[in-house]
């Protein structure tokens, strides 16, 4: 690999999925891994094998299926974690064990290890990982708040023990660009053996500087960026893959580094990750936000018509957005829908097309023009594998009394009906759902927004539920806001079921805390 090539290490399926409420099913993880592999991600961190049976199964299966990407699993600094990780990644053509330990004073205090005891542990665990796998990454968690001398000491120990990549995590999003560049530069200058290995940067976005900090680290000499699609991750998230990749592409004049990413696949994977994780992409998100290429003000539109470069630094096609956006209507056929889906980045098989076409026709009957955003919302509302499904809903509401809802839901293939009253139509519908599927989940968020304009626009509703420490989000769209709300609530309940592992897909709750070192 040349000196200007930056390795892209994607951790959407590990650090991203760790975000409360972002749990993906086994099938969804395999699908995202395949998309990452296809788009040219060098290394996929597929999970934390010892954390649960589901994680182990996902890392093993992704390892078996990987084509070009190296598959990595995470392990804490103990032999049991490392052995389990090695067992999961061994099927991959190219594999990696990533082992870590918190080295800052705050993190050292948790396992109550002295500096010397921790140094010995690092040597033993990295050596053990290296005995099992020829490619080993080691991370001093909270590196940016670790004492400089101690950081140099433990990095040197890890290199001597056989680590091939040293990752410098900014675990709490504390650093700033100049400091980030300087830290990597000084480590390379100071630590014996540093020129033999690759330095990686792993930034969190708590102060909104993850992208800048990652690129600055590369300027300082790092040659691996750890990132997630849409910046998915705990708290304010991780470095967004699409941002660092496009920054290096668009400003190659001042950031002369290359990646192996096919940027035309960015939009499709962004949408898919958003759908399966239940985390919407903010409208004004750089690169993949709904408004990232929209020019609405008069001055901008005028400029754009005269010369696109007036207000556009990259072409929509470069990130996988098609230039045309003619709406579909009720006379549009399957071929037109398939073509539109493909332009929007969705490649569907014949069976899926059949299902989407039925839902598209239903929508087109109620809505004169079906815009791109309606199609995207339709794709996000796929309920094929759900155990709970809304069949029908009728609500009577208005001034002068409670609302009455009659709701039919299919539960494991059986239709049941509930009639309930509530303080408004949404309350009545949610109560009916709870009568049919009793649960103690708390409604933490209920959000409605219109997908397009006009009174026949679809409403997208997001619902976030929490139950016994498990969080699940649901989303749905419909031209009727109350129906969209009921579907979103049911969607979130389906995800809660999956999260509890009740569907037997292995997506069980994480039992292990990252802070448990032993
Ligand atoms: O943020 C962090 O420190 C991590 C480590 C496990 C690398 O995700
Ligand atoms: Zn992290």
């Amino acid at each position: 690999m040349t000196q200007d090539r930056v390795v892209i290490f994607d951790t959407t399926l590990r650090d991203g999925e760790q975000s409360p409420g972002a749990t993906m099913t086994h099938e969804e993880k395999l699908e995202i891994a395949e998309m990452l592999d296809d788009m040219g991600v060098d290394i996929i961190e597929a999970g934390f094998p010892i954390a649960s049976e589901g994680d182990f199964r996902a890392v093993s299966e992704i390892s078996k299926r990987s084509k070009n990407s190296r598959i990595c699993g995470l392990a804490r600094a103990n032999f049991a974690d490392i052995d389990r990780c090695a067992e999961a990644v061994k099927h991959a053509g190219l594999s990696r064990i990533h082992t870590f330990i918190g080295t800052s004073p705050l993190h050292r205090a948790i396992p109550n290890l002295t500096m010397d005891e921790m140094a010995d542990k690092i040597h033993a665990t990295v050596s053990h990982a290296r005995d099992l796998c020829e490619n080993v990454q080691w991370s001093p968690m909270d590196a940016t708040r670790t004492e400089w001398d101690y950081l140099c000491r433990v990095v040197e120990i890890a290199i001597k023990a056989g680590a091939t990549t040293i990752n410098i995590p900014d675990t709490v999003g504390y650093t700033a660009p100049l400091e980030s560049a300087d830290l990597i530069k000084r480590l390379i200058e100071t630590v014996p053996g540093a020129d033999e290995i690759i330095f990686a940067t792993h930034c969190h976005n708590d102060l909104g500087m993850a992208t800048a900090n990652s690129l600055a680290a590369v300027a300082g000499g790092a040659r691996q960026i750890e990132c997630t699609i849409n910046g998915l991750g705990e708290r304010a998230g991780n470095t967004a893959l699409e941002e660092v990749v496009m920054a290096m592409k668009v400003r190659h004049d001042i950031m002369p580094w290359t990646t192996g990413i096919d940027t035309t696949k960015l939009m499709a994977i962004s949408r898919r990750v958003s759908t399966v994780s239940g985390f919407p992409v903010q409208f004004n998100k750089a690169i993949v936000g709904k408004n990232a290429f929209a020019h609405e003000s008069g001055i901008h539109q005028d400029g754009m018509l005269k010369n696109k470069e007036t207000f556009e630094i990259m072409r929509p096609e470069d990130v996988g957005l098609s230039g045309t956006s003619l709406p579909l209507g009720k006379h549009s056929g399957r071929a037109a829908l398939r073509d539109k889906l493909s332009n929007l980045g969705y490649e569907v098989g014949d069976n899926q097309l059949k299902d989407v076409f039925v839902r598209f026709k239903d929508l087109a009957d109620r809505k004169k023009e079906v815009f791109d955003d309606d199609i995207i919302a339709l794709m996000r509302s796929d309920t094929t594998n759900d155990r709970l499904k809304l069949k029908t809903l009728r609500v009577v509401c208005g001034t002068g009394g409670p609302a009455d809802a009659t709701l039919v839901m299919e539960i494991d293939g059986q239709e049941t009906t509930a009639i309930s009253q509530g303080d408004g139509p949404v309350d009545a519908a949610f109560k009916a759902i709870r009568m049919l599927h009793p649960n103690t989940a708390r409604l933490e968020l209920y959000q409605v927004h219109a997908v397009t304009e006009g009174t026949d626009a679809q409403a997208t509703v997001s619902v976030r539920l929490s139950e016994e420490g498990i969080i699940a989000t649901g989303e749905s769209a419909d031209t009727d806001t109350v129906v969209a709300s009921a579907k979103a609530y049911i969607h979130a309940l389906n995800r809660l079921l999956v999260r509890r592992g009740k569907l037997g897909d292995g997506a069980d709750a994480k039992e292990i805390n990252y802070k448990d070192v032993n």
Side-chain angles (χ1 to χ4, degrees), residues 50-269:
I50 206 161
S52 69
E53 249 328 289
D55 260 42
F56 179 80
R57 220 154 57 82
V59 179
S60 309
E61 195 55 39
I62 291 168
S63 298
K64 286 180 194 153
R65 295 181 183 207
S66 61
K67 293 186 292 240
N68 303 308
S69 308
R70 186 179 287 279
I71 307 302
C72 172
L74 185 70
R76 291 164 304 174
N78 67 67
F79 285 18
D81 271 45
I82 293 169
D83 291 347
R84 191 80 174 139
C85 182
E87 191 59 28
V89 297
K90 71 174 184 205
H91 311 283
L94 298 167
S95 55
R96 171 175 291 187
I97 295 176
H98 174 194
T99 180
F100 74 99
I101 194 163
T103 51
S104 66
L106 283 167
H107 282 268
R108 286 201 305 270
I110 299 167
N112 201 14
L113 292 177
T114 64
M115 283 179 161
D116 289 343
E117 284 165 345
M118 183 167 282
D120 289 346
K121 199 175 187 64
I122 292 164
H123 190 270
T125 49
V126 175
S127 306
H128 183 65
R130 188 58 204 265
D131 287 343
L132 299 174
C133 182
E134 101 300 346
N135 194 298
V136 172
Q137 170 167 327
W138 180 73
S139 298
M141 186 163 74
D142 206 12
T144 53
R145 294 191 302 168
T146 299
E147 303 92 324
W148 166 249
D149 288 345
Y150 192 57
L151 185 62
C152 290
R153 177 177 166 198
V154 288
V155 167
E156 183 179 347
I157 288 170
I159 295 174
K160 287 210 171 106
T164 45
T165 296
I166 299 287
N167 176 37
I168 302 298
D170 183 30
T171 306
V172 290
Y174 178 71
T175 197
L178 293 179
E179 191 179 68
S180 177
D182 187 56
L183 182 60
I184 300 286
K185 186 167 172 286
R186 285 197 297 141
L187 281 169
I188 293 173
E189 284 165 1
T190 314
V191 178
D195 51 343
E196 315 259 295
I197 52 99
I198 290 188
F199 274 93
T201 176
H202 175 113
C203 299
H204 282 264
N205 203 29
D206 299 66
L207 291 172
M209 294 193 281
T211 296
N213 288 338
S214 301
L215 293 167
V218 175
R223 283 296 175 268
Q224 174 178 305
I225 296 181
E226 307 208 353
C227 45
T228 59
I229 301 293
N230 300 336
L232 189 67
E234 269 184 290
R235 309 185 310 276
N238 288 59
T239 300
L241 180 147
E242 62 279 6
E243 293 179 14
V244 285
V245 167
M246 287 310 289
M248 288 186 270
K249 187 174 165 122
V250 174
R251 293 309 311 274
H252 199 71
D253 54 334
I254 53 165
M255 291 181 274
W257 310 297
T258 56
T259 70
I261 301 295
D262 174 356
T263 63
T264 64
K265 303 211 159 145
L266 287 173
M267 223 40 229
I269 194 162

Side-chain angles (χ1 to χ4, degrees), residues 355-373:
D355 170 64
V356 181
F357 190 67
V358 172
R359 291 188 290 126
F360 160 72
K361 277 287 176 194
D362 176 50
L363 178 62
D365 275 343
R366 288 178 286 140
K367 202 170 178 299
K368 220 171 99 220
E369 292 181 305
V370 179
F371 297 100
D372 289 2
D373 287 331

